[in-house]
Amino acid sequence: MVTTPRGRPRSFDRLTALEQATMAFWEHGYETTSVSDLTRAMGISAPSLYAAFGDKKTLFEEVVEAYAGSYGSYGGRAFAEEPTARGAIGRLLGEAAELFTEPGHPRGCLMISAATNCSTPEVEESLRARRNANLASFEARIRRGVEAGELPADTDARALARFSGAVLQGMSQQARDGATAGELTAVAETAMRAWPRPPARFPAETAPETPAGRGA
């Protein structure tokens, strides 16, 4: 029995094409990156893009998921590995200073810069929801720090979380404006000095560190 092929096999590597789309969106943002920009960056035709990834919005959603699990995963590691809120957010900011400026990819954070001048409501809301989820995780970690006695009982967890988020977002924009890793590391260290100091009863050997000295 002879069977008829269902279609021609893809002539490109899907993961490579997704990475190239990530670079395009990261550099230019969602709104100003056209389908023709994407096909040129990915080295594929528009029909191949639609067949493999769906439309531009669906492709961007996949890009954001891939970014969160790769370039953007430093935050999750910091929260999983550091024993204190101060240590976790301090490490996150310190490592962001490096990620936002390292060669080989666009500067700053894709989830922050891709939202600039975005007029597509679904995309704008999706990115906002992710950023708000990050703030919520900051706040929850800080509240646990207060409960553990790491931070003073009168610490305003929500304000401190928003402060830390604002620093992170500002670092992303400054990186795109040309700030160096050293300059952004100094910003991160200055931000952590604004945090409340641990209560005197908090054991010195478990006191959180600043980003300095972590190689971040």
Side-chain angles (χ1 to χ4, degrees), residues 12-135:
F12 65 93
D13 180 82
R14 193 178 189 283
L15 290 179
T16 298
L18 183 64
E19 175 72 2
Q20 291 163 335
T22 299
M23 296 299 108
F25 281 126
W26 195 347
E27 178 65 33
H28 303 292
Y30 177 80
E31 205 65 39
T32 59
T33 303
S34 67
V35 171
S36 61
D37 292 332
L38 290 167
T39 56
R40 185 165 50 252
M42 299 162 77
I44 62 177
S45 66
S48 294
L49 186 154
Y50 292 127
F53 298 101
D55 60 13
K56 173 183 164 181
K57 183 167 72 68
T58 304
L59 170 59
F60 182 69
E61 291 168 356
E62 187 170 345
V63 160
V64 170
E65 286 293 334
Y67 176 91
S70 55
Y71 298 103
S73 63
Y74 65 96
R77 289 194 302 271
F79 272 51
E81 296 171 7
E82 296 298 325
T84 64
R86 183 186 180 91
I89 294 180
R91 174 175 163 181
L92 180 151
L93 293 177
E95 292 188 3
E98 290 293 327
L99 173 71
F100 291 173
T101 57
E102 68 186 7
H105 60 69
R107 287 177 155 246
C109 172
L110 180 147
M111 292 189 206
I112 296 171
S113 59
T116 303
N117 298 324
C118 182
S119 60
T120 304
E122 300 91 340
V123 172
E124 185 179 24
E125 178 54 36
S126 175
L127 292 172
R128 183 186 302 113
R130 284 182 175 272
R131 293 193 299 272
N132 285 338
N134 286 339
L135 289 178

Side-chain angles (χ1 to χ4, degrees), residues 1 3-4 27 65 82 120 125 141 151 153 168 175 205 211:
M1 179 178 179
T3 59
T4 303
E27 178 65 33
E65 286 293 334
E82 296 298 325
T120 304
E125 178 54 36
R141 187 60 178 269
L151 295 166
L168 183 66
E205 64 270 17

